[in-house]
Amino acid sequence: MRFPQRFVLLRSRPIGSEREVMFKIVEARDVGFRIRQFVIEAPRIARKQRPGQFIILRLRQNGERIPLTIKSSNPAAGTITIAVQAVGKTTSLLNCLEAGDSILDIVGPLGHPSEIARYGTAVILAGSVGTAMALPTAHALKDADNHVIFIEGARSKEMVVFEDEVRAASSEAYIMTDDGSYGEQGLVTKKLAELIAASRKPDFVLAVGPVPMMRAVAKITAPLGIKTMVSLNSIMVDGTGMCGGCRVLLGTESKFACVDGPEFDASKVNFEVLMQRNSMYREKECASLKEFEEHQAEEVLELRAELASKRAAEERMREEIAAEEKHYV
Amino acid sequence: MSDANPLPRKERMKIARVPMPELEPEIRAHCFAEVNQGLQIVDAETEARRCLSCAKPGCMEKCPVGVKVKQVIELICAGDYLAAAAKMREDNALPAITGRVCPQENQCEGGCVVGRKGQSIAIGNLERFIADYERESGKLGLPAIAAPTGKSVAIVGSGPAGLSAAGDLIQKGHRVRVFEALHELGGVLVYGIPEFRLPKSIVKEEVDNLRRMGVEFETNVVVGKSVTLDELMRIEGYDAVFVATGAGLPIFLGIPGEHLNGVYSANEFLTRVNLMRAYDPESDQPVYDCRGRDVIVVGGGNTAMDAVRTSMRLGARTATLVYRRSEAEMPARAEEVKHARQEGIEFRMLTDPVELLGDEKGWLTGARCMKMELGEPDASGRRRPMPIRGSEHVLPAHVVIIGVGTHANPLIQSTTPDLKTNQRNYIVADPETMRTSKRGVFAGGDIVTGGATVILAMGAGRKAAKAVDAYLRDGVWD
């Protein structure tokens, strides 16, 4: 059993000095159009993360909790890596942050890890930022002696991400763009259909990306009886099974994506219900994003000021506790 | 001590129970300000003087944590409110909270002799009064802390069970660290119970008091995922763990239409509004816009009551509580039912939804319901509701909130194979010692009993603290 140094430190600290901590960004860089990669200090998550799992984060006191996938983790350094596509207010605000900034709350790793087995030929289909979530599973499948075919899809060249890592994690890799500006022109399902037509029927398929993509994959593989998993991105709040907001319909059965998933058997998933439920707050999301974009610079300044004042308040509390202890112990 | 009360017993009986000042229903139904405004000093004095100081106080017997109610009231009569608060804290670490949320009519006030003929002493209101007085005075009587024992305890969950156990264990000189899955401390006190019943600032104050006593807190840790029980003990070196994670997974009705947009579990609805402050336009977390809409809440407990009153405050056109039994069987606190009625909540008793209806885009439009009648008593001892044939009717609804209870959360059990659970996946713990099947691990509160009340969870936390302390001192498990 390894004995990480931070736990030794933690035990030797005096009573009352340990506080809730924020999560420091140690590296931030753009990796594609509106897609940014962050390396964040989160030692507990880094130590436990397995392929397919996710985190939930919150940026500010009035911020929403959003689930995001984990691309990789470094237990020794105590960091996790996430890739974020700016699609709504929270992700847009997050993508304005730099190394040295902090994230208020991160919890994880959540959900069941991907089921890794020796299937034979495994095809992974990932849409743009979904590639980040599929990468650790691809690595694990390759390590488990599968022939891994990775098909990454994106709208156009600027949204193709992590190509080198995709190649490293797979035995065979294809890049597909909708407009043909990079790799081959067409959807990921076109390549999947080609492979099947060329008598290279996979033994296992994993699809991670937009719901219509995952539905299209399931339409191809389900009739052929190919074991297919999809990683579902339903709306979540707590991520621990407590609210049930992320429920998805599998046939007639209701499951919670956060604790029963996020990966489910694609042949059973009711994608229409998933799309309908994911649209529940669309109007509000759009209005919120529009407002954010009009005040982007102020919002970022406000966030930094809020985190600084929270840190100061914690410091004051620490001092107060220290003074109190002299009195009582 | 008992002569602190200047009135002869006969005179005491003549005083009417002092009513709790409340915010006007017309005002409070549209905002999240606290409904009960609290007693003034003169009111508290009058109310305390109603107490007969019985030789055998029924109030104490019926309190799940055994608060010395009689002595507390005598101290109030003597005008020493801080001493009364300190006396209260000997048995109840969170009086400002329990004074607000306990079902007193079934507990202390239910045991009050005065209540047999007239109205019982308003013990809950007095409890709240001294706790608030103490807090506002800034002269908190924090209990003394024993010399460090060198032992450490991990508490999983910062709800009422976890917080009260933490308060007791830190006093015994153990190092105590509380792990919370959410970003805020307080568990159901912050995500579940709404601001208008329990202001969040009060929970924060109680948590800060525990901090001042030396309790450590770590948020954003899902024990079972971020770290397992075995890792807490083997790697992080905790000598004992108290699991107080609460009930967990919301139960849905299992009827068609529950995936329509506009259908919530009460947990989700309340979490969005309370924890995530969705009622505040500055908050990023959205909740369905209830303004001008018809809201139906299914269930008869405190959670359902909180949800329906919350929906009214969010601007619902109609807010209706649908319950399959009759009002007599409703588990909600009497005061909540009274307040809900005053605020214009419609009660539809003996009614049960059988299908939720939606439009072609998947948005909820209504609930098809059956009328029920009560048959023979069921396993719970309450008369079983039976559907009346041909009584189907449709209630229009844009939002339906299901508040019919919870299942056990499986996260800890699934990563701790040697932790024994029952058929319903609740953790098995000895009702007296709170010990589980796993050495050094104790459990209590809703994760053992299923959904119950704040005070019962606190009682479990206190019992567990006693048992954990004994175990840490003698190290004997078997």
Side-chain angles (χ1 to χ4, degrees), chain B residues 182 184-193 198 200 203 270 274-275:
Chain B
L182 292 170
E184 229 165 90
L185 296 164
V188 72
L189 306 172
V190 296
Y191 77 73
I193 301 176
L198 177 64
K200 301 292 154 276
V203 181
L270 290 171
N274 298 332
L275 178 74

Side-chain angles (χ1 to χ4, degrees), chain A residues 35-53:
Chain A
I35 301 172
R36 197 161 166 82
Q37 175 172 298
F38 297 94
V39 179
I40 305 163
E41 279 177 8
R44 283 198 186 277
I45 304 171
R47 204 158 61 93
K48 296 292 284 182
Q49 179 261 341
R50 298 287 174 273
Q53 290 188 298

Side-chain angles (χ1 to χ4, degrees), chain A residues 155-204:
Chain A
R155 273 211 299 278
S156 62
K157 189 180 172 186
E158 312 80 67
M159 301 187 81
V160 175
V161 287
F162 311 125
E163 188 183 346
D164 293 344
E165 287 162 82
V166 164
R167 293 196 187 281
S170 59
S171 323
E172 216 177 312
Y174 301 94
I175 309 287
M176 311 291 292
T177 50
D178 295 4
D179 60 5
S181 56
Y182 193 75
E184 295 176 44
Q185 193 275 322
L187 303 172
V188 288
T189 40
K190 179 180 159 192
K191 179 57 71 182
L192 177 65
E194 275 175 26
L195 290 172
I196 292 167
S199 302
R200 298 186 61 196
K201 191 176 129 182
D203 303 295
F204 174 79

Side-chain angles (χ1 to χ4, degrees), chain A residues 1-4 6-8 10-11 13-21 23 44-45 47-48 53 56 58 60-66 89-90 93 104-113 235-250 253-256 258-259 273 275-281 284-285 288 302 317 320-321 324-325 328-329, chain B residues 140-148 152 170 173-177 179 181-185 191 207-209 211-222 224-228 231-232 234-239 248-250 252 258-265 267-268 271-272 275-277 280 282-289 361-363 406 409-411 414:
Chain A
M1 177 60 63
R2 270 178 305 147
F3 208 78
R6 63 193 185 85
F7 290 113
V8 181
L10 188 145
R11 290 183 65 186
R13 275 178 199 155
I15 285 173
S17 69
E18 189 63 33
R19 303 277 297 107
E20 297 101 287
V21 284
F23 300 80
R44 283 198 186 277
I45 304 171
R47 204 158 61 93
K48 296 292 284 182
Q53 290 188 298
I56 285 184
R58 187 177 79 129
R60 54 189 204 113
Q61 195 63 30
N62 280 327
E64 58 178 342
R65 291 170 65 100
I66 57 161
K89 174 177 176 178
T90 301
L93 178 58
L104 186 58
D105 297 294
I106 304 183
V107 63
L110 300 170
H112 287 297
I235 296 173
M236 291 182 190
V237 185
D238 62 291
T240 63
M242 191 261 286
C243 86
C246 65
R247 61 193 185 274
V248 292
L249 203 52
L250 303 188
E253 211 183 349
S254 189
K255 291 277 183 192
F256 293 175
C258 67
V259 288
V273 163
M275 276 192 268
Q276 164 229 308
R277 287 188 60 79
N278 278 357
S279 75
M280 183 144 168
Y281 302 104
K284 280 184 185 155
E285 286 160 0
S288 185
E302 263 174 45
M317 186 75 196
E320 193 189 322
I321 287 166
E324 199 87 38
E325 259 166 15
Y328 282 103
V329 177
Chain B
L140 193 77
L142 284 184
I145 308 291
S152 61
I170 199 79
H174 307 301
R175 182 185 156 234
V176 179
R177 192 176 177 85
F179 294 93
L182 292 170
H183 56 260
E184 229 165 90
L185 296 164
Y191 77 73
V207 168
D208 283 347
N209 288 340
R211 278 199 180 109
R212 292 185 182 102
M213 288 160 66
V215 176
E216 303 164 22
F217 291 94
E218 188 173 341
T219 50
N220 297 312
V221 179
V222 182
K225 285 285 174 190
S226 314
V227 64
T228 62
E231 287 165 338
L232 282 176
R234 280 210 326 270
I235 301 180
E236 302 193 22
Y238 289 96
D239 301 297
L249 311 177
F252 285 88
E258 283 190 297
H259 283 75
L260 291 164
N261 292 357
V263 182
Y264 288 104
S265 73
N267 271 4
E268 182 186 0
T271 299
R272 282 179 179 273
L275 178 74
M276 306 306 299
R277 301 178 180 82
D280 179 352
E282 288 293 303
S283 166
D284 292 338
Q285 192 92 37
V287 69
Y288 190 94
D289 190 350
K361 286 190 170 162
W363 289 84
T406 52
N409 191 307
L411 292 182
S414 65

